[in-house]
Amino acid sequence: MEKFIIKNNGPLFGRVRVNGAKNAVLPIMAATLLTEGECYLENVPNLKDVRAMKEVITHFGGVFKDISVDEKYIQISKIITSEAPYDLVQKMRASFFVMGPLLAKTGVAKISLPGGCAIGARPVDLHLKGFAALGATITQGQGFIEARAEKLIGATIYLDFPSVGATENIMMAATLAEGETIIENAAEEPEIIDLSNFLNKMGANVRGAGTDTIRIEGVEKLKGTRHEIIPDRIETGTFMIAAAITKGNIMVENVVPTHIKPIIAKLIECGAKLEIGEDTIRVDASDIGNSVDLTTLPYPGFPTDMQAQFMALMTILDGTSVINETVFENRFMHISELVRLGADIRIEGHSAIVSGVNGLEGTEVVATDLRAGAALVLAGLAAKGETHVNSIFHIDRGYEDLEIKLNSLGANIKRVEVAEIIHD
Ligand code: EPZ
């Protein structure tokens, strides 16, 4: 087990470059199951979750090669099984993205039910509603789900909630179905557009990604292709908050400004000065201080994946801020840890009321999930003294070299081994 030891080192200054988007590369890696052709993926981040998805690809018979530090080669010339076992899915629930491609390519997919996680039950009913609408027979057994279909037939599917994963899984399945599939109330995230671009380069016919209605005309076969993964808008936002919480001045590079509009708007409301370039954003937080309210919503609303990080900032703004979390039912696990650092936060249903305090005091805290961990690191940058963030394996799932990048901006973070604490 490892932890971060963070010493407050004052405002951050300098430039940092973000990597490719975790939530784009994971479904795109799953989509390579739809072809026997050779795929080359560029701007792939070096993350635990990418390594986990590599294991999934090789489990199904795929060849995965590192061409360079961020370029990967994937080819699955023959799918050798249609089952994804518990240990693979349990390690990373995004493995569930293989269900759509497997079903479309082989006619059967037997996937261990992905468990819930710290932020919620994470059901997959909308994924299954889509597969059933395409003609698959769904059976649920001890801890697994099986979908089976001789041939998938295009259908119109209304998503009760604009689920990112369900939109992606159904979109992938529909590429090889007979006829047209329409996904209504689809998720509109940039990662959906990136997946759609990848599928269309493979020869699919996907229209409308990025809107609430996506049309997919099924085709016979898909071929291998080359694709560059979009930059990670959540990593971008995390570094913007690192500047804000330390009242620093940093330039973030390899950015798509249109993907981070809600974060830009909210930081300006807090008093930050932003300079927006073609693929860069400068955050000058020397005068930051105003409290702000926000509500998380599906894209283009404020992203739930930035809720914990923004809350860390709110703990030291002047006045009271209110955060409403509307996407996940249990995404406030970081609050108790922020309170240990001296924050003043109370929960009222799906809202958190954050009263700004003069300063945070470093102490031992523990990451409960990926973004909660990032929020605690950000709080540690501003807290007096030393903050120890435990269970940082959560953070390594979604951030490549977070401490190295922050230290290049002037932070003082050490990654150290921790003796296993055995709880009786
Ligand atoms: C994706 O998860 C992201 N993960 C999450 O990022 C992100 O928080 C989430 O989208 C929302 O933007 C990846 O892309 C790998 P959802 P996903 O289906 O697809 C409910 C991170 O930190 N729902 O849009 O699982 C669900 O319970 C991670 O990078 C159903 O009810 O999210 C939740 O309340 C965390 N039935 C809401 O929809 C379903 O069948 C949003 O979930 C599916 C979802």
Side-chain angles (χ1 to χ4, degrees):
M1 295 275 273
E2 295 178 311
K3 71 174 172 180
F4 283 148
I5 296 179
I6 306 169
K7 288 196 180 100
N8 182 326
N9 215 22
L12 299 188
F13 295 103
R15 347 170 48 100
V16 67
R17 180 181 171 75
V18 301
N19 292 100
K22 167 177 86 76
N23 292 347
V25 72
L26 294 177
I28 285 173
M29 286 174 74
T32 61
L33 283 162
L34 289 164
T35 179
E36 294 84 10
E38 296 183 306
C39 291
Y40 291 84
L41 302 182
E42 298 166 8
N43 198 30
V44 175
N46 179 17
L47 303 171
K48 264 180 75 179
D49 274 10
V50 168
R51 293 191 289 276
M53 189 55 95
K54 169 183 171 181
E55 257 184 76
V56 172
I57 297 288
T58 40
H59 167 80
F60 286 108
V63 170
F64 183 104
K65 287 184 203 148
D66 295 324
I67 306 286
S68 71
V69 70
D70 70 354
E71 183 182 344
K72 310 297 172 193
Y73 165 92
I74 299 177
Q75 183 178 25
I76 303 130
S77 15
K78 185 172 175 2
I79 293 177
I80 57 173
T81 172
S82 284
E83 282 200 40
Y86 177 73
D87 63 319
L88 274 182
V89 180
Q90 200 270 336
K91 197 184 281 188
M92 179 191 59
R93 52 186 337 294
S95 325
F96 199 72
F97 284 143
V98 303
M99 192 153 206
L102 272 184
L103 179 61
K105 198 78 177 61
T106 69
V108 60
K110 186 173 175 184
I111 315 283
S112 164
L113 247 183
C117 71
I119 63 178
R122 311 295 290 274
V124 290
D125 57 305
L126 297 176
H127 300 238
L128 302 177
K129 174 181 179 181
F131 299 145
L134 293 172
T137 307
I138 309 287
T139 42
Q140 205 146 341
Q142 274 69 27
F144 71 83
I145 293 176
E146 183 180 272
R148 201 174 272 276
E150 279 304 304
K151 181 85 192 131
L152 294 177
I153 311 292
T156 296
I157 298 147
Y158 172 80
L159 293 181
D160 306 51
F161 183 90
S163 154
V164 170
T167 301
E168 292 167 339
N169 234 336
I170 297 164
M171 194 159 89
M172 289 189 280
T175 55
L176 296 178
E178 205 163 276
E180 182 182 53
T181 296
I182 302 173
I183 306 175
E184 294 180 333
N185 197 31
E188 304 178 26
E189 275 69 4
E191 293 76 26
I192 308 269
I193 300 174
D194 208 31
L195 174 60
S196 162
N197 291 340
F198 178 68
L199 293 170
N200 286 337
K201 281 184 192 173
M202 294 169 83
N205 183 344
V206 183
R207 298 284 167 268
T211 75
D212 64 0
T213 305
I214 300 177
R215 293 170 184 278
I216 305 108
E217 189 59 44
V219 295
E220 275 302 305
K221 203 171 157 54
L222 295 177
K223 60 186 191 319
T225 189
R226 175 176 287 275
H227 184 73
E228 182 178 342
I229 305 295
I230 55 169
D232 193 315
R233 60 195 168 98
I234 305 303
E235 189 188 11
T236 303
T238 304
F239 285 118
M240 292 168 73
I241 301 289
I245 204 167
T246 61
K247 292 188 185 288
N249 185 331
I250 73 164
M251 171 78 93
V252 188
E253 298 172 333
N254 190 32
V255 166
V256 181
T258 51
H259 290 173
I260 51 169
K261 282 183 182 168
I263 305 158
I264 289 170
K266 287 297 161 185
L267 281 178
I268 290 173
E269 284 179 41
C270 292
K273 292 186 207 62
L274 304 183
E275 267 166 50
I276 300 166
E278 173 116 345
D279 61 353
T280 59
I281 186 154
R282 173 174 293 286
V283 179
D284 173 359
S286 39
D287 296 336
I288 204 160
N290 317 333
S291 57
V292 67
D293 298 340
L294 66 85
T295 295
T296 67
L297 287 166
Y299 195 89
F302 189 94
T304 175
D305 292 350
M306 279 299 302
Q307 181 254 106
Q309 299 92 310
F310 216 101
M311 188 185 291
L313 171 61
M314 289 170 164
T315 63
I316 54 171
L317 294 176
D318 311 329
T320 300
S321 305
V322 179
I323 284 198
N324 300 309
E325 171 57 61
T326 72
V327 176
F328 286 103
E329 71 269 24
N330 185 35
R331 203 167 195 173
F332 281 157
M333 304 283 280
H334 42 283
I335 289 179
S336 54
E337 298 304 302
L338 289 169
V339 167
R340 283 176 53 76
L341 291 166
D344 177 354
I345 308 172
R346 69 175 198 282
I347 299 177
E348 285 181 8
H350 288 283
S351 301
I353 320 297
V354 186
S355 305
V357 294
N358 286 334
L360 300 174
E361 293 283 332
T363 186
E364 290 274 352
V365 288
V366 62
T368 47
D369 60 87
L370 163 56
R371 307 302 174 183
L376 294 171
V377 171
L378 295 171
L381 295 176
K384 276 200 271 317
E386 247 182 45
T387 300
H388 292 206
V389 180
N390 291 281
S391 303
I392 57 172
F393 60 89
H394 287 293
I395 298 173
D396 292 333
R397 290 191 46 202
Y399 290 93
E400 180 178 336
D401 297 337
L402 181 62
E403 79 276 20
I404 295 170
K405 289 172 178 167
L406 289 171
N407 287 341
S408 75
L409 297 170
N412 178 346
I413 305 175
K414 284 192 186 57
R415 179 188 286 260
V416 299
E417 271 298 318
V418 184
E420 198 79 16
I421 304 154
I422 312 295
H423 293 288
D424 51 31

